[in-house]
Each structure stands twice: as C-alpha cells, then as structure tokens.
Amino acid sequence: MEIDLKTLAQQVGGRLDGPADLRIDGVAGVEHAGPGQCTYVAHPRYLAALATTRAAAVLLVEGVESPIPAVRVEDPARAFLLLLEHFAMPRAELFPPGIHPSAVIDPSAVLGTDVHVGANAVIGPGCSVGDRSVVGATSVLLHDVEVGADCLLYSGVQLREKTVVGHRVILHCGVVLGSDGFGFAPTPTGYHKIPQIGRVVVGDDVEIGANVCVDRATAGETVIGAGSKIDNLVQIAHNVRIGSRTAISAQTGIAGSCTIGDDVVVGGQVGLADHLQIGDRVRIGAKSGVSNDLDDDATVSGIPTRPHRDWRRQQAHIARLERYASEITALRRRVEALEKETGAAPTENS
Amino acid sequence: MEIDLKTLAQQVGGRLDGPADLRIDGVAGVEHAGPGQCTYVAHPRYLAALATTRAAAVLLVEGVESPIPAVRVEDPARAFLLLLEHFAMPRAELFPPGIHPSAVIDPSAVLGTDVHVGANAVIGPGCSVGDRSVVGATSVLLHDVEVGADCLLYSGVQLREKTVVGHRVILHCGVVLGSDGFGFAPTPTGYHKIPQIGRVVVGDDVEIGANVCVDRATAGETVIGAGSKIDNLVQIAHNVRIGSRTAISAQTGIAGSCTIGDDVVVGGQVGLADHLQIGDRVRIGAKSGVSNDLDDDATVSGIPTRPHRDWRRQQAHIARLERYASEITALRRRVEALEKETGAAPTENS
Amino acid sequence: MEIDLKTLAQQVGGRLDGPADLRIDGVAGVEHAGPGQCTYVAHPRYLAALATTRAAAVLLVEGVESPIPAVRVEDPARAFLLLLEHFAMPRAELFPPGIHPSAVIDPSAVLGTDVHVGANAVIGPGCSVGDRSVVGATSVLLHDVEVGADCLLYSGVQLREKTVVGHRVILHCGVVLGSDGFGFAPTPTGYHKIPQIGRVVVGDDVEIGANVCVDRATAGETVIGAGSKIDNLVQIAHNVRIGSRTAISAQTGIAGSCTIGDDVVVGGQVGLADHLQIGDRVRIGAKSGVSNDLDDDATVSGIPTRPHRDWRRQQAHIARLERYASEITALRRRVEALEKETGAAPTENS
C-alpha cells in the first residue's frame, strides 16, 4: 500500500510541497509517527510537535512553514481520514470469502454469496447471513438469527435466538445480543423469573463495541436504530428503544424500557433509570445519572442530571462552600456584636 | 403455540369478554403489540394507549371499558406473566439433549443424563455436569468444574478451574467465573503477583447476566448465595460473599472481601469499597459509592452513601446553593449598613 | 501438595510452635479456613477470630498466644504469600505443553517450544507465540498477532490483527485487545466511520483482567506499559498510553488519547476524559471523574476531581448544608430584628 508523495497529494486533493518520489508507507499522529509515515497538523497547538516529528511528510494548510515535506490541503483532518482509508487493511484480506471447515453450520441455515465464516464459528438452525457478511471465528448465532448483507461480526460474538441484525452492521468481539432481560417477580420465597421472550433488532449501519450487552425484550423488541454507534462495555436493558444516529460512549448503562431519540450523544459511564423518555438531539455529559425525562435538545450533566449550565454553576458553588461557611461564621459574630452594641436580645437561637 | 381467546382466558383464570375463537399467537406491551398479539393494561396510565393499540386482545380488570376483545382478570400483570410462560420457547427446543460431535470433552469428565453440550464447547479434565443441564456452544469448563442439575449455561461462558455451580443456575453469554482476583504485593521493582488459589461457589437458583466477572478467592471461596440474581457487566471481586435472594443491577462493582447479606437490592453502577459488611435487606440507590458498613434494612444513596432521605435533602440544598450564596451577600451588606448606622466596628474580617 | 507443619515452618522461614507432623493440605483466611488448612493473622483485629477458627494451624508473630498450633514469623502476610505459592496449582498441570488437535492453526503461524494451545483455539495467518506460552481454549489470535514467551492467555481471549503482547503477560478470560476505537466523523447524513488502522502493544509482565477492552489506535499504537496491572471490565480507548507499573481497578474507563504515567494507582469505576496528561505516581480515588491534566504525585477524588483533601472537606461541608441553611435563616431574622431596633431600612431585598 506504499505510495509516493505525489500520488498521496492527488489522493487527498492537495498541493505537493515536497519531493514527488518520497515513499510513504503509513500514517500516524505527529508525536508518534515514524520514518516513512505521513502525519497531519489540524490545529496550531500541534505545530510545536511538528518541529521534532520523525514523520516523513505532513498534511498541512497553506501558509504555515513546515520543517518537513508537506502536502497542502484545506482540511488536514479530512485528508488524514482519506489516508486512513487508503492504508486500512482491506476487509477481504482479513476475512476472505469462504466457510472454514471447522465451522459448525446447521443444514437449515441460509448463507448469502461471498460470506466468510471463521474457524470454529457456530451457526444454528434457521439462521440466515446476508451476502458478503463476515461471521468471525468462534462466534455463535444460536437459533433463527437474521444477519443482513455486508455485516462484520468479529470473533467471540454471541447472538441469541431470533436476533435481527440489519445491513452493514459491525459487531465487535464479545458483543452479546439478546441475553435475557433482568426481570423477576418477587415472591415470599424469592424471585420468580419472568420469561424474556422478545428479541433484539439492530438497524442498518449500526456499530456496537466490544463486550457490549443488549438484552432481548420481555415481549416485543429491544431496538437499536439505524446509524447508531455504541462504544465498548455498554449495557442496554430489555425493551429499550434507541433512535437513529445516536452515539453512546463506553460503559454507559440504559435501564429497561427507556426510549431514546435520534441524534442523541451520551457520554461515558452515564446511567439512565428505567422507563425514561429522552428526546432528539439530547446531549448527556459523562458520568451523569439521568432520572427524569429529557426534552429535545436538552444538554444535561450531573447526578441527578440538571441543565449543563446549572450543573457548572452548582459545581462552582460547591467549590466555594468553605468560603460560604466562613462568611456565615463571620456574619454571626458581627451580628452578635451588633446585638450587644444595641442591647437587642437575639430573636432566636440559631 | 397459537391459542384461541377462550383457552387463553382459561389459562390465566380470567373471564372471556370477546370472541371465543379469536386466535392469539403472541404477547407484547400495549404500545408495541401487533395484530394477533395479546397485551395487558395493569395501570390506568396505560389506558390511553389501549385506545390506539394494534393488539388483538387485552388482559384487563373488570369494570374498565375496552375498545378491543378482553380477558377480565384481577391482576393483569400476573396474568401476562402466565402468558409469557406459555409463549416462551421451550428450553428443550433450543437445547435438545445430546452432545454435539464438535464438542471437546475430556474422558475424565462426568455428564449426567439428558445433558446438552453445544457445538465447539470444551469440558476439561475432572469436570462434572448434572442431569438435564446445558453447556452452550463454545463455552469452556476448564478443570475440575462442577455444574449441578438443570443449569443453563449459554454460549461463550468461561468457568475457570474448581468453580462450583449449584442446581437450576442460569449463566448468560460471556460470563466469567473464577478469574484471578486483583491481588499484587508492591515491591521496589514493581508488583509481585499474589497467587489466587481459591474458587467460586454459586448457589442454587442463581442467575448471572452477560459478561459478568466473578473472581476466585485468594484462598477459600467467593460465594454467590442461593436465589441471588446478578445483572449484566457486574464485577464481583475475590473473597466477596453474597447472601441469598440478593439482586444486583447492571455494571455494579463489589470490591474484594465484601460480605453482603440476604434480600439486598443494589442499583446499577454502584461501587462498594473493599472489606465492607452490608446487612440484610439493605437497599442501595443507583450510582452510589459505598465506603462504610451498612446495617440491616438501611436504604442509602450518594457518593459517599448516606441514608436515602438525607441524600435527597442534601440534593435539595445543593440545588439551592445559588440562593444561599445570594442571601449571604445580602446579609453582609445589611450587617455593614447596621455597623455604619450604630458606629460599631466589624468584629473581624470575614 | 500436602506438607507437615515442620516443613511448612522451614518453607516460610518461621519457628515451629506446634506438632512437627501436623498435616496441612491448604490455606485460607481465618474466618473461613477449615480443618487441615493453615491460616494467618497479620493484624490484631483478627485475633478474636482466631479463637473460633477451624484452621489446623496459624502463621503468627512471636509473643501472641495462639489457641491452635502456630508457626511464628516476622511478617505473617508475607509468609502466607509463600504458602499461596506452594499450594497454587502449577501452570503446567492446567496447561501442559502441546497443541490440542481441535485447535485451528494457520500454517504460516510460528509457535515456540513447549507452547500450550487449548481446544478449539484459533491462531491465524502470520501470528507468533513465544516459548512456553499458553493460548487457552477457544481463544482467537486473528492475524499477524505477536505473543511473547511465558504468556498465559486464558480461554475466550480475542486478539485482533497486529496486536503485540510482550513476555510473561497474563490475559484473563474474555479480554479483547485491538478492537476498533470509537471514531466517527459527523456528516449531514450520519456518522462516517474513521478507519482504525493502528494497533495495541502490551509490555512485559502486564496482567489484564476478565472482559477488559483495549481499543487499537486510530493510527500508531495504544500502549500498556511494562508491569502494569488492569482489573476486570476496564475500558481503554484508542491511542491511550499507559506507563509502567500502573494499576487500574475494575470498571474504570480511559477515553481516547490519554497519557498516563508510571506507578499510577487508579481506583474502581473512575472515568478519564479524552486527551488528558496524567503524571507519574498519581492516585485517583474510586468513582472519580477526571477532566483535567494531573501533575506528578497528585492525589485526587470527586466528580470533577480535586485534591483528595479538598474533596474530603467539601464532602464535610455538603453534609453540613442543612445547618448552614438554618444559620442563614436565623441570621436573617436577627438582622431584621436589629434593623427594626435601630430603625435602619434594609439596604436591599435579599
């Protein structure tokens, strides 16, 4: 995948500002790039690092001096993205079409064309996998699982019975879809399990991070809407419904029957109580604890959450509590002195 | 599993209030139910949704008008639970008795009658699996693992050496039991690993959620008591002892050597510091950080935890900090004015 | 591995204070030890438990009366560690050298001498595994993965392409190294995936807990430095760099591009925002939310974090808010009384 700097400039639509035949064999950030790699500087604060970088070349805006060969572009971050795509290992190299002989595939399962099934993967009765999709090594599709076309299921993925996965979905290692929801009826002798007979439905273009758990609905569906992106180690409980293009950061947990809108952004380690209605375009700060419904476009933080601006002011007040306490003490003494001065008795004990 | 409404009414002990021959092929919540499904309304707040439901029938108390065919019952939620049990896929359909030929079972392992061992599962030396238990596809029982009767281990479960699992236990996908505790002795040149040679013992009727980790004891046992239920992505450290019928919500972490009583309820994303004694029937609010022992029947919230009532009052005070700060400023000005008026010098600088 | 008490005393360098031929077949804490086991008491607070222990013998300092046979040592905790090492099951017993016939190993993979590859493990093209290392059952090394010598990868471990693991590394069940970082470029029609083409590099003597996720770098490397120890269910995002001998407790999450120093100690359920610089020997309290860089030797707590001492004082102030509010009310009344007394008008409305 090595290219010369002239080709690189053409690929990113930039102006060559260095030797045309310079060989570039990879990309990296400015601080950690090595010889032969192309880096980028998208913000003036990284210009200092450019002076000492070991990179062979840099993507840079016009008008900024560069100590190393450069390709001049309007948007270095966007150009870098194009280079990442160039240097990415093609999916077909990692996962060439074909069924590994060690995979266990039930005769009733239906596989599309050019599907990859990795070593020791297991595809159970009634399952289907769409064209060009990948089922990674040791992954398990239990029973009546539907996976669309152009999906990428890495290794160690567990899809419980009746799970439905759309097209172009990426499921990272260790993802569990369709585990039983946490539903128990208390009885005098202990908990009675409430059967969880619904399913999980994942829309097109969804990406779900490593070791994420999505529970099946008690009845009906737990839904992850099209284009939503879920980071590692997130917990999504039974009957949750997540809209489209919503992004959820790592280790967040969403309790049962929450409905989350479109284009929502949830920070890391957030918790949502059950049965909440979260509107569209809501933004929830990291580590927040949400216990109330949130209207469209709300931006909230804190445990429990409040509008982000209020939360910042409260944090400032909390940081000043020592001063407030001192002022109260000082005021009490001054009031005592005034009372002595004027001969007034205190109106009551504080 | 399709039934007619008359049979359904008989199954849930209700009164038929609709056509006897109406076919019902599933169940779902009132908002998401489709044609052919039976839903329920257990709370007046869902009556509005009943007007627009697509469900074919509803479980409902007497005396409430229904726009669709109904079965009249005293406790619609309980009747719905009976229907969930009716429509649940029988375990034997998903996991028929038998050993998949791709499973790897050590000759020294002992399997009971009617055991299911899934594809590519691994059962190591000295292991035993009780009658009618299921070991899901790709699950691994490492060495000297004991699993009781009527257990259900889904796929991708990892049971380390010497783990003991009781009867009727459910372990969801990705559960890890018996991983090493996080124990290291600091030395001048770095951490020295403390061997973790104990084991994990899981009582009867326990259910453990997807991707939960339970560490083995350093020496002795980490214990999950009978009837306890643990949600997804929970961390239970070495030497923890959890009593009976205790429920722990998702993403909670319990540090080493904690002892937790019976009938405790722990919210999601809670953290417990190490070596705590938590009494019976304690309730811990979501996202709490527990750093002290808790007596029987305590109900606590917050970081650090305090009695739930105190926590609520403190939250109210925090929400009023802006006002308190304004009042302090106003009082200072009034005291200054009084001091001017009376000719008193301030007793000290605030 | 049973030994007599005389041999035990020799092994821990202690003085025999009991019958030389007493048989000891295991070890456990003082409260849970059973007959035949040796326990220890390292702190006077556990002496009461010694009176009722069922243990056969105890490691104890000189000069303290013991109701059971004892071995007298200077440091009972250290002596107990030596016993744990004695009674630990040898690694070769759990994982004897050899390749299980069900393992799938690409012909291009290179395995050192005395390697153990467990049942149904998968080692892909271009991978290498060093001498005496263990690849547990069902674990997957995807492509061009390098594992050093004397490593222990338990079952269900997933190593994505190009991951590099040093020597003497322990990876617990369910660990995922090299999953894609959570990187998306927003566009008017939704998120565009930013290819994650870097890798994960794990130093020598690292231990990583069960179900931990470490994302590969966007470009370049995500690094876990030598001797660092990571507890269960931790999330480490793309481009994070962790120094040497740093310990991270369970369920902590470190967002993208953070740099963490050497000898840092991070509590459980901590969150770090992205792009932070954390110095050497920093200590971060459990459940903290870090949103700023931290200098060497800082000790912090809270959400957001502040110096631990300040955090404790703020917590104390928060606990006193009820009192402060009462004092403000009382002061207002006394000031009103004074204003009445002196005929002064309030300077402004509070």
Side-chain angles (χ1 to χ4, degrees), chain C residues 175-200:
Chain C
V175 163
V176 177
L177 302 186
S179 39
D180 286 1
F182 197 61
F184 302 94
T187 77
T189 56
Y191 290 108
H192 179 83
K193 181 174 175 67
I194 299 173
Q196 305 289 310
I197 71 171
R199 61 179 185 172
V200 170

PDB file of all heavy atoms in Angstrom, chain C residues 175-200:
ATOM      1  N   VAL C 175     -10.837 -11.162  27.535  1.00  0.00           N
ATOM      2  CA  VAL C 175     -10.103  -9.940  27.171  1.00  0.00           C
ATOM      3  C   VAL C 175     -10.185  -9.726  25.657  1.00  0.00           C
ATOM      4  O   VAL C 175     -10.058 -10.665  24.873  1.00  0.00           O
ATOM      5  CB  VAL C 175      -8.624 -10.040  27.601  1.00  0.00           C
ATOM      6  CG1 VAL C 175      -7.770  -8.996  26.886  1.00  0.00           C
ATOM      7  CG2 VAL C 175      -8.499  -9.890  29.109  1.00  0.00           C
ATOM      8  N   VAL C 176     -10.402  -8.469  25.265  1.00  0.00           N
ATOM      9  CA  VAL C 176     -10.394  -8.091  23.855  1.00  0.00           C
ATOM     10  C   VAL C 176      -9.311  -7.030  23.653  1.00  0.00           C
ATOM     11  O   VAL C 176      -9.389  -5.942  24.223  1.00  0.00           O
ATOM     12  CB  VAL C 176     -11.757  -7.505  23.415  1.00  0.00           C
ATOM     13  CG1 VAL C 176     -11.693  -7.052  21.958  1.00  0.00           C
ATOM     14  CG2 VAL C 176     -12.877  -8.523  23.619  1.00  0.00           C
ATOM     15  N   LEU C 177      -8.315  -7.338  22.876  1.00  0.00           N
ATOM     16  CA  LEU C 177      -7.276  -6.352  22.550  1.00  0.00           C
ATOM     17  C   LEU C 177      -7.340  -6.027  21.059  1.00  0.00           C
ATOM     18  O   LEU C 177      -7.341  -6.928  20.225  1.00  0.00           O
ATOM     19  CB  LEU C 177      -5.874  -6.888  22.869  1.00  0.00           C
ATOM     20  CG  LEU C 177      -5.581  -7.317  24.305  1.00  0.00           C
ATOM     21  CD1 LEU C 177      -4.091  -7.669  24.460  1.00  0.00           C
ATOM     22  CD2 LEU C 177      -5.969  -6.248  25.306  1.00  0.00           C
ATOM     23  N   GLY C 178      -7.400  -4.736  20.748  1.00  0.00           N
ATOM     24  CA  GLY C 178      -7.298  -4.330  19.349  1.00  0.00           C
ATOM     25  C   GLY C 178      -8.617  -4.085  18.658  1.00  0.00           C
ATOM     26  O   GLY C 178      -8.664  -3.917  17.439  1.00  0.00           O
ATOM     27  N   SER C 179      -9.708  -3.999  19.433  1.00  0.00           N
ATOM     28  CA  SER C 179     -10.989  -3.619  18.832  1.00  0.00           C
ATOM     29  C   SER C 179     -10.880  -2.192  18.290  1.00  0.00           C
ATOM     30  O   SER C 179     -10.043  -1.416  18.733  1.00  0.00           O
ATOM     31  CB  SER C 179     -12.103  -3.718  19.884  1.00  0.00           C
ATOM     32  OG  SER C 179     -11.642  -3.268  21.146  1.00  0.00           O
ATOM     33  N   ASP C 180     -11.743  -1.875  17.339  1.00  0.00           N
ATOM     34  CA  ASP C 180     -11.694  -0.540  16.731  1.00  0.00           C
ATOM     35  C   ASP C 180     -11.964   0.551  17.762  1.00  0.00           C
ATOM     36  O   ASP C 180     -12.874   0.415  18.588  1.00  0.00           O
ATOM     37  CB  ASP C 180     -12.773  -0.409  15.646  1.00  0.00           C
ATOM     38  CG  ASP C 180     -12.420  -1.171  14.392  1.00  0.00           C
ATOM     39  OD1 ASP C 180     -11.354  -1.821  14.347  1.00  0.00           O
ATOM     40  OD2 ASP C 180     -13.226  -1.115  13.436  1.00  0.00           O
ATOM     41  N   GLY C 181     -11.212   1.640  17.716  1.00  0.00           N
ATOM     42  CA  GLY C 181     -11.542   2.807  18.514  1.00  0.00           C
ATOM     43  C   GLY C 181     -12.881   3.387  18.082  1.00  0.00           C
ATOM     44  O   GLY C 181     -13.365   3.126  16.970  1.00  0.00           O
ATOM     45  N   PHE C 182     -13.457   4.173  18.981  1.00  0.00           N
ATOM     46  CA  PHE C 182     -14.795   4.760  18.758  1.00  0.00           C
ATOM     47  C   PHE C 182     -14.596   6.093  18.044  1.00  0.00           C
ATOM     48  O   PHE C 182     -14.647   7.163  18.657  1.00  0.00           O
ATOM     49  CB  PHE C 182     -15.466   4.939  20.121  1.00  0.00           C
ATOM     50  CG  PHE C 182     -16.961   5.142  20.080  1.00  0.00           C
ATOM     51  CD1 PHE C 182     -17.797   4.174  19.553  1.00  0.00           C
ATOM     52  CD2 PHE C 182     -17.535   6.295  20.603  1.00  0.00           C
ATOM     53  CE1 PHE C 182     -19.187   4.339  19.546  1.00  0.00           C
ATOM     54  CE2 PHE C 182     -18.912   6.485  20.605  1.00  0.00           C
ATOM     55  CZ  PHE C 182     -19.737   5.497  20.070  1.00  0.00           C
ATOM     56  N   GLY C 183     -14.372   6.015  16.740  1.00  0.00           N
ATOM     57  CA  GLY C 183     -14.048   7.211  15.979  1.00  0.00           C
ATOM     58  C   GLY C 183     -14.947   7.371  14.770  1.00  0.00           C
ATOM     59  O   GLY C 183     -14.954   6.524  13.869  1.00  0.00           O
ATOM     60  N   PHE C 184     -15.723   8.461  14.749  1.00  0.00           N
ATOM     61  CA  PHE C 184     -16.667   8.698  13.665  1.00  0.00           C
ATOM     62  C   PHE C 184     -16.645  10.181  13.313  1.00  0.00           C
ATOM     63  O   PHE C 184     -16.605  11.035  14.205  1.00  0.00           O
ATOM     64  CB  PHE C 184     -18.083   8.284  14.085  1.00  0.00           C
ATOM     65  CG  PHE C 184     -18.164   6.853  14.503  1.00  0.00           C
ATOM     66  CD1 PHE C 184     -18.043   6.494  15.834  1.00  0.00           C
ATOM     67  CD2 PHE C 184     -18.302   5.853  13.553  1.00  0.00           C
ATOM     68  CE1 PHE C 184     -18.064   5.171  16.220  1.00  0.00           C
ATOM     69  CE2 PHE C 184     -18.341   4.521  13.940  1.00  0.00           C
ATOM     70  CZ  PHE C 184     -18.220   4.177  15.267  1.00  0.00           C
ATOM     71  N   ALA C 185     -16.691  10.481  12.037  1.00  0.00           N
ATOM     72  CA  ALA C 185     -16.788  11.871  11.596  1.00  0.00           C
ATOM     73  C   ALA C 185     -18.255  12.163  11.322  1.00  0.00           C
ATOM     74  O   ALA C 185     -18.896  11.471  10.517  1.00  0.00           O
ATOM     75  CB  ALA C 185     -15.952  12.073  10.330  1.00  0.00           C
ATOM     76  N   PRO C 186     -18.825  13.173  12.006  1.00  0.00           N
ATOM     77  CA  PRO C 186     -20.233  13.514  11.755  1.00  0.00           C
ATOM     78  C   PRO C 186     -20.396  14.075  10.345  1.00  0.00           C
ATOM     79  O   PRO C 186     -19.566  14.855   9.883  1.00  0.00           O
ATOM     80  CB  PRO C 186     -20.540  14.602  12.795  1.00  0.00           C
ATOM     81  CG  PRO C 186     -19.329  14.755  13.646  1.00  0.00           C
ATOM     82  CD  PRO C 186     -18.178  14.092  12.962  1.00  0.00           C
ATOM     83  N   THR C 187     -21.442  13.671   9.673  1.00  0.00           N
ATOM     84  CA  THR C 187     -21.774  14.216   8.351  1.00  0.00           C
ATOM     85  C   THR C 187     -23.262  14.554   8.384  1.00  0.00           C
ATOM     86  O   THR C 187     -23.979  14.129   9.295  1.00  0.00           O
ATOM     87  CB  THR C 187     -21.519  13.191   7.224  1.00  0.00           C
ATOM     88  OG1 THR C 187     -22.590  12.237   7.230  1.00  0.00           O
ATOM     89  CG2 THR C 187     -20.190  12.480   7.401  1.00  0.00           C
ATOM     90  N   PRO C 188     -23.742  15.309   7.402  1.00  0.00           N
ATOM     91  CA  PRO C 188     -25.171  15.660   7.410  1.00  0.00           C
ATOM     92  C   PRO C 188     -26.092  14.450   7.403  1.00  0.00           C
ATOM     93  O   PRO C 188     -27.227  14.522   7.881  1.00  0.00           O
ATOM     94  CB  PRO C 188     -25.333  16.472   6.122  1.00  0.00           C
ATOM     95  CG  PRO C 188     -23.977  17.021   5.839  1.00  0.00           C
ATOM     96  CD  PRO C 188     -23.006  15.981   6.315  1.00  0.00           C
ATOM     97  N   THR C 189     -25.610  13.314   6.910  1.00  0.00           N
ATOM     98  CA  THR C 189     -26.489  12.144   6.844  1.00  0.00           C
ATOM     99  C   THR C 189     -26.184  11.107   7.921  1.00  0.00           C
ATOM    100  O   THR C 189     -26.755  10.023   7.910  1.00  0.00           O
ATOM    101  CB  THR C 189     -26.372  11.470   5.463  1.00  0.00           C
ATOM    102  OG1 THR C 189     -24.990  11.147   5.255  1.00  0.00           O
ATOM    103  CG2 THR C 189     -26.848  12.388   4.354  1.00  0.00           C
ATOM    104  N   GLY C 190     -25.266  11.429   8.836  1.00  0.00           N
ATOM    105  CA  GLY C 190     -24.953  10.478   9.899  1.00  0.00           C
ATOM    106  C   GLY C 190     -23.460  10.357  10.080  1.00  0.00           C
ATOM    107  O   GLY C 190     -22.690  11.153   9.556  1.00  0.00           O
ATOM    108  N   TYR C 191     -23.062   9.354  10.832  1.00  0.00           N
ATOM    109  CA  TYR C 191     -21.642   9.188  11.158  1.00  0.00           C
ATOM    110  C   TYR C 191     -20.903   8.445  10.046  1.00  0.00           C
ATOM    111  O   TYR C 191     -21.391   7.437   9.533  1.00  0.00           O
ATOM    112  CB  TYR C 191     -21.497   8.424  12.467  1.00  0.00           C
ATOM    113  CG  TYR C 191     -21.922   9.226  13.669  1.00  0.00           C
ATOM    114  CD1 TYR C 191     -23.102   8.940  14.350  1.00  0.00           C
ATOM    115  CD2 TYR C 191     -21.139  10.280  14.130  1.00  0.00           C
ATOM    116  CE1 TYR C 191     -23.481   9.677  15.466  1.00  0.00           C
ATOM    117  CE2 TYR C 191     -21.517  11.020  15.241  1.00  0.00           C
ATOM    118  CZ  TYR C 191     -22.685  10.717  15.902  1.00  0.00           C
ATOM    119  OH  TYR C 191     -23.062  11.447  16.998  1.00  0.00           O
ATOM    120  N   HIS C 192     -19.710   8.947   9.724  1.00  0.00           N
ATOM    121  CA  HIS C 192     -18.827   8.266   8.792  1.00  0.00           C
ATOM    122  C   HIS C 192     -17.703   7.634   9.603  1.00  0.00           C
ATOM    123  O   HIS C 192     -17.021   8.312  10.373  1.00  0.00           O
ATOM    124  CB  HIS C 192     -18.272   9.296   7.798  1.00  0.00           C
ATOM    125  CG  HIS C 192     -17.333   8.705   6.792  1.00  0.00           C
ATOM    126  ND1 HIS C 192     -17.765   8.081   5.639  1.00  0.00           N
ATOM    127  CD2 HIS C 192     -15.985   8.631   6.768  1.00  0.00           C
ATOM    128  CE1 HIS C 192     -16.721   7.654   4.945  1.00  0.00           C
ATOM    129  NE2 HIS C 192     -15.635   7.970   5.616  1.00  0.00           N
ATOM    130  N   LYS C 193     -17.511   6.333   9.439  1.00  0.00           N
ATOM    131  CA  LYS C 193     -16.508   5.628  10.254  1.00  0.00           C
ATOM    132  C   LYS C 193     -15.091   6.067   9.902  1.00  0.00           C
ATOM    133  O   LYS C 193     -14.704   6.083   8.729  1.00  0.00           O
ATOM    134  CB  LYS C 193     -16.631   4.112  10.046  1.00  0.00           C
ATOM    135  CG  LYS C 193     -15.633   3.291  10.870  1.00  0.00           C
ATOM    136  CD  LYS C 193     -15.893   1.796  10.742  1.00  0.00           C
ATOM    137  CE  LYS C 193     -14.835   0.970  11.461  1.00  0.00           C
ATOM    138  NZ  LYS C 193     -14.878   1.138  12.926  1.00  0.00           N
ATOM    139  N   ILE C 194     -14.311   6.407  10.906  1.00  0.00           N
ATOM    140  CA  ILE C 194     -12.890   6.696  10.726  1.00  0.00           C
ATOM    141  C   ILE C 194     -12.142   5.374  10.899  1.00  0.00           C
ATOM    142  O   ILE C 194     -12.189   4.771  11.976  1.00  0.00           O
ATOM    143  CB  ILE C 194     -12.399   7.717  11.766  1.00  0.00           C
ATOM    144  CG1 ILE C 194     -13.163   9.034  11.610  1.00  0.00           C
ATOM    145  CG2 ILE C 194     -10.900   7.926  11.638  1.00  0.00           C
ATOM    146  CD1 ILE C 194     -12.878  10.054  12.690  1.00  0.00           C
ATOM    147  N   PRO C 195     -11.486   4.906   9.833  1.00  0.00           N
ATOM    148  CA  PRO C 195     -10.801   3.612   9.953  1.00  0.00           C
ATOM    149  C   PRO C 195      -9.815   3.633  11.121  1.00  0.00           C
ATOM    150  O   PRO C 195      -9.159   4.645  11.366  1.00  0.00           O
ATOM    151  CB  PRO C 195     -10.056   3.477   8.623  1.00  0.00           C
ATOM    152  CG  PRO C 195     -10.751   4.397   7.680  1.00  0.00           C
ATOM    153  CD  PRO C 195     -11.276   5.524   8.517  1.00  0.00           C
ATOM    154  N   GLN C 196      -9.743   2.545  11.825  1.00  0.00           N
ATOM    155  CA  GLN C 196      -8.845   2.417  12.968  1.00  0.00           C
ATOM    156  C   GLN C 196      -7.767   1.422  12.552  1.00  0.00           C
ATOM    157  O   GLN C 196      -7.970   0.216  12.616  1.00  0.00           O
ATOM    158  CB  GLN C 196      -9.627   1.942  14.197  1.00  0.00           C
ATOM    159  CG  GLN C 196     -10.829   2.823  14.534  1.00  0.00           C
ATOM    160  CD  GLN C 196     -10.442   4.183  15.100  1.00  0.00           C
ATOM    161  OE1 GLN C 196      -9.645   4.287  16.027  1.00  0.00           O
ATOM    162  NE2 GLN C 196     -10.989   5.252  14.517  1.00  0.00           N
ATOM    163  N   ILE C 197      -6.632   1.952  12.107  1.00  0.00           N
ATOM    164  CA  ILE C 197      -5.638   1.077  11.476  1.00  0.00           C
ATOM    165  C   ILE C 197      -4.384   0.893  12.328  1.00  0.00           C
ATOM    166  O   ILE C 197      -3.423   0.269  11.891  1.00  0.00           O
ATOM    167  CB  ILE C 197      -5.273   1.598  10.069  1.00  0.00           C
ATOM    168  CG1 ILE C 197      -4.444   2.872  10.157  1.00  0.00           C
ATOM    169  CG2 ILE C 197      -6.524   1.833   9.233  1.00  0.00           C
ATOM    170  CD1 ILE C 197      -3.887   3.305   8.802  1.00  0.00           C
ATOM    171  N   GLY C 198      -4.361   1.457  13.533  1.00  0.00           N
ATOM    172  CA  GLY C 198      -3.209   1.259  14.409  1.00  0.00           C
ATOM    173  C   GLY C 198      -3.260  -0.100  15.085  1.00  0.00           C
ATOM    174  O   GLY C 198      -3.916  -1.021  14.597  1.00  0.00           O
ATOM    175  N   ARG C 199      -2.581  -0.199  16.221  1.00  0.00           N
ATOM    176  CA  ARG C 199      -2.551  -1.491  16.908  1.00  0.00           C
ATOM    177  C   ARG C 199      -2.459  -1.291  18.414  1.00  0.00           C
ATOM    178  O   ARG C 199      -2.398  -0.171  18.905  1.00  0.00           O
ATOM    179  CB  ARG C 199      -1.373  -2.313  16.400  1.00  0.00           C
ATOM    180  CG  ARG C 199      -0.027  -1.642  16.658  1.00  0.00           C
ATOM    181  CD  ARG C 199       1.125  -2.522  16.145  1.00  0.00           C
ATOM    182  NE  ARG C 199       2.406  -1.910  16.501  1.00  0.00           N
ATOM    183  CZ  ARG C 199       3.578  -2.489  16.345  1.00  0.00           C
ATOM    184  NH1 ARG C 199       3.662  -3.698  15.810  1.00  0.00           N
ATOM    185  NH2 ARG C 199       4.688  -1.882  16.718  1.00  0.00           N
ATOM    186  N   VAL C 200      -2.475  -2.413  19.143  1.00  0.00           N
ATOM    187  CA  VAL C 200      -2.282  -2.404  20.601  1.00  0.00           C
ATOM    188  C   VAL C 200      -0.950  -3.069  20.901  1.00  0.00           C
ATOM    189  O   VAL C 200      -0.641  -4.120  20.343  1.00  0.00           O
ATOM    190  CB  VAL C 200      -3.418  -3.170  21.312  1.00  0.00           C
ATOM    191  CG1 VAL C 200      -3.093  -3.384  22.799  1.00  0.00           C
ATOM    192  CG2 VAL C 200      -4.733  -2.425  21.164  1.00  0.00           C
TER     193      VAL C 200
END
